């Protein structure tokens, strides 16, 4: 590769890096979007695509992740139309409500407490008794005692939204470089001026790191890695029309059954500390089948389509890392999105692009809790492997 100079090099073409690139390119900046593999090749193609800011143990509506999650859910309004028009890609956004069923008294108490804390936060949230739950979702088993109905949590095709942003960025002139691992940051003093890649150096005054589960290689060595891989296994089913699932069904610690816009049903997901291993395992499939049997037993008659894994970028305190590095000037971080990257990626990609250009946060959001230096500084020390 010839010596290339850009305004911004974005490292990582998952949903976050593609959204950042799209918005930077829209502003007329010269952008390179570089990935070691392909766009949407890692976590952003593996996700269930639930847009679920409610979470599992949501503490209260003041929690920074919930504030961000709510804004991110709203950001999806009209996004499907916009990206379809600009790129021709249908992101598969579906308005299928979510049901969180309870199977015993403890489950009922937990979900009702969640309802009390969250009902002003998510409009339309309501408790349904067992008999009503069956009427609206006959695929739930008779053992269900009641369920929390959440009409505004939606779902999307994760790979498609990522590819739509990648294509949108390319249409606006961004240079997508695939199969190109990025190694060391090139620095002059405390300022970053480019990156080493397997295809040679690429120069830019701004580097945006959106490298998912791999981002820690650019962090100073501390006892706590700020970002680490959390493996998730998933499978897809195809059900006959007689087994039409009308809701996303989600139970904390059990799994999620998510009807997709193409008629398949995604079943997810395991949560495993397995390093960078991406094998689909017998144990993983057993966990997913157990979720089907518990939540929607009739779907055991559905056809198995495929199974896959992805590596979520977990973060040490469960919050993403978004903003400028204080230790390396010109370096920006967008990582650690863990289980919410498809929900948060579109909005926060837009936010990071605005921050890079204007140093002010759009949408009136407070990003203090997401300070990327809270586990220590970032550095350039990684070399190409
Ligand atoms: C099984 C599963 C289910 C999930 N379900 C949901 C869900 O329902 N809802 C939700 O909101 N989120 C969900 N998530 C989480 C979501 O997928 C992630 O949070 C999100 O995809 C993270 O996006 P990212 O762009 O940060 O990372 P990624 O999509 O992993 O992208 C990072 C990119 O960086 C590239 N890269 C890494 N190192 C380098 C390097 N050295 N040089 C160049 N490129 C590099 C990688 O190749 C990769 O393409 C799920 C994840 C999994 C695994």
């Amino acid at each position: 590769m010839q010596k290339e100079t850009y305004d911004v090099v974005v490292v990582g073409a998952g949903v976050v890096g593609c959204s950042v690139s799209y918005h930077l390119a829209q502003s007329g900046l010269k952008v390179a979007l570089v990935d070691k593999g392909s766009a949407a090749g890692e976590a952003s193609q593996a996700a269930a695509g639930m847009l679920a800011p409610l979470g599992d143990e949501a503490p209260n509506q003041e929690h920074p992740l919930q504030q961000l999650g709510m804004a991110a859910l709203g950001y999806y309004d009209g996004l499907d139309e916009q990206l379809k028009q600009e790129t021709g890609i249908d992101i598969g956004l579906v308005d299928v409500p979510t049901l969180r069923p309870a199977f015993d008294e403890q489950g009922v108490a937990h979900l009702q407490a969640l309802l009390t804390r969250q009902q002003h936060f998510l409009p339309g949230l309501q408790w349904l008794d067992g008999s009503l739950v069956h009427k609206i979702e006959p695929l739930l088993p008779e053992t269900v005692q009641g369920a929390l109905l959440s009409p505004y949590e939606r779902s999307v095709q994760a790979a498609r939204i990522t590819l739509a942003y990648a294509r949108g960025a390319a249409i606006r002139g961004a240079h997508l470089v695939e199969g190109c691992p990025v190694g060391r940051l090139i620095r002059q003093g405390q300022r970053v001026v480019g990156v080493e890649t397997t295809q040679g150096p690429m120069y830019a005054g701004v580097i945006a790191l959106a490298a998912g589960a791999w981002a820690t290689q650019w962090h100073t060595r501390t006892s706590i890695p700020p970002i680490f891989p959390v493996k998730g296994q998933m499978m897809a089913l195809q059900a006959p029309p007689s087994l039409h699932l009308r809701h996303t069904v989600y139970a904390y610690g059990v799994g999620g059954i998510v009807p997709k816009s193409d008629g398949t049903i995604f079943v997810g997901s395991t949560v495993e500390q397995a390093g960078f291993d991406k094998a689909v395992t017998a144990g993983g499939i057993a966990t997913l089948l157990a979720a089907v049997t518990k939540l929607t037993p009739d779907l055991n008659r559905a056809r198995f389509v495929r199974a896959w894994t992805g590596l979520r970028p977990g973060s040490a305190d469960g919050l993403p890392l978004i903003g400028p590095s204080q230790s390396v000037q010109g370096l920006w971080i967008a990582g650690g999105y863990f289980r919410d990257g498809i929900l948060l990626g579109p909005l926060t990609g837009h936010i990071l692009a605005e921050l890079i250009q204007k140093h002010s946060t759009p949408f009136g959001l407070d990003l203090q809790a997401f300070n990327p230096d809270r586990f220590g500084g970032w550095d350039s020390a990684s070399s190409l492997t």
Side-chain angles (χ1 to χ4, degrees):
M1 185 192 278
Q2 283 188 321
K3 177 176 163 176
E4 294 276 10
T5 303
Y6 297 90
D7 295 316
V8 185
V9 171
V10 179
V11 181
V15 67
V16 177
C18 290
S19 172
V20 174
S21 302
Y22 169 89
H23 290 287
L24 289 171
Q26 193 168 39
S27 302
L29 296 185
K30 188 176 177 197
V31 177
L33 171 57
V34 190
D35 201 285
K36 64 178 175 56
S38 55
E42 296 287 353
S44 298
Q45 57 81 39
M50 289 169 60
L51 306 177
L54 188 58
D56 302 315
E57 303 285 352
N60 58 58
Q61 65 191 69
E62 307 303 329
H63 192 270
L65 190 54
Q66 283 215 282
Q67 298 279 359
L68 190 64
M70 251 340 261
L73 181 62
Y75 189 81
Y76 266 91
D77 290 345
L79 190 59
D80 50 344
E81 286 299 317
Q82 180 194 325
L83 289 173
K84 179 85 191 287
Q85 262 182 19
E86 293 179 21
T87 69
I89 295 177
D90 176 357
I91 64 170
L93 185 66
V94 282
D95 281 328
V96 175
T98 298
L99 276 174
R100 289 174 172 76
F103 294 90
D104 54 28
E105 278 178 24
Q106 207 187 343
V108 170
H110 172 77
L111 287 171
Q112 290 190 338
L114 194 62
L115 170 65
T116 307
R117 288 196 302 270
Q118 303 293 323
Q119 55 195 350
H120 302 299
F121 175 65
L122 259 181
L125 209 57
Q126 59 175 301
W127 181 255
L128 305 178
D129 289 331
S131 53
L132 188 52
V133 174
H134 275 287
K135 246 186 218 152
I136 68 163
E137 186 48 84
L139 291 190
L140 278 166
E142 288 182 0
T143 46
V144 168
Q145 313 243 313
L148 191 58
L149 175 70
S150 177
Y152 288 109
E153 291 178 301
R154 302 177 258 178
S155 86
V156 71
Q157 294 271 6
R160 286 201 213 158
I161 187 161
T162 307
L163 292 173
Y165 274 126
R167 186 178 295 172
I171 289 169
R172 286 171 170 70
H175 183 192
L176 175 61
V177 188
E178 298 181 302
C180 182
V182 170
R184 199 175 59 86
L185 304 180
I186 304 169
R187 279 167 62 163
Q188 279 173 4
Q190 288 308 304
R191 168 156 279 287
V192 71
V193 293
V195 289
E196 298 280 7
T197 80
T198 49
Q199 298 180 24
M202 297 172 80
Y203 293 95
V206 172
I207 306 296
L209 281 184
W214 292 262
T216 291
Q217 64 183 293
W218 293 279
H219 195 256
T220 47
R221 299 277 168 250
T222 51
S223 52
I224 314 168
I227 296 174
F228 50 86
V230 182
K231 177 177 171 180
Q233 303 193 42
M234 298 268 307
M235 67 179 183
L237 304 175
Q238 184 82 56
S242 58
L243 296 177
H244 175 60
L245 182 64
R246 302 170 187 174
H247 299 80
T248 289
V249 178
Y250 177 79
Y252 179 54
V254 180
I257 317 285
V258 188
K260 308 306 290 185
S261 61
D262 62 0
T264 59
I265 296 171
F266 283 10
V267 180
S269 52
T270 65
V271 181
E272 302 168 62
Q273 305 290 342
F276 288 93
D277 171 59
K278 287 201 289 184
V280 174
T281 63
I285 296 292
T287 302
L288 300 175
L289 291 174
V292 172
T293 301
K294 172 112 188 174
L295 300 176
T296 50
D298 287 344
L299 287 180
N300 276 316
R301 288 188 275 133
R303 187 168 61 82
F304 173 82
V305 179
R306 67 188 178 102
W308 65 94
T309 60
L311 300 175
R312 305 175 184 90
S315 93
D317 60 3
L319 300 180
L321 294 84
I322 305 167
S325 154
Q326 299 304 321
S327 45
V328 183
Q329 283 169 35
L331 181 64
W332 295 75
I333 317 294
Y337 287 79
F338 192 35
R339 304 185 77 165
D340 292 318
I342 305 304
L343 170 66
L344 301 176
L347 172 67
T348 59
H350 192 165
I351 288 176
L352 197 76
E354 291 280 312
L355 279 171
I356 287 171
Q357 294 171 86
K358 300 178 190 155
H359 293 266
S360 64
T361 317
F363 310 109
L365 288 162
D366 179 0
L367 298 183
Q368 259 182 359
F370 312 121
N371 176 358
D373 283 337
R374 65 189 186 275
F375 304 106
W378 295 79
D379 74 11
S380 57
S382 176
S383 55
L384 284 167
T385 50

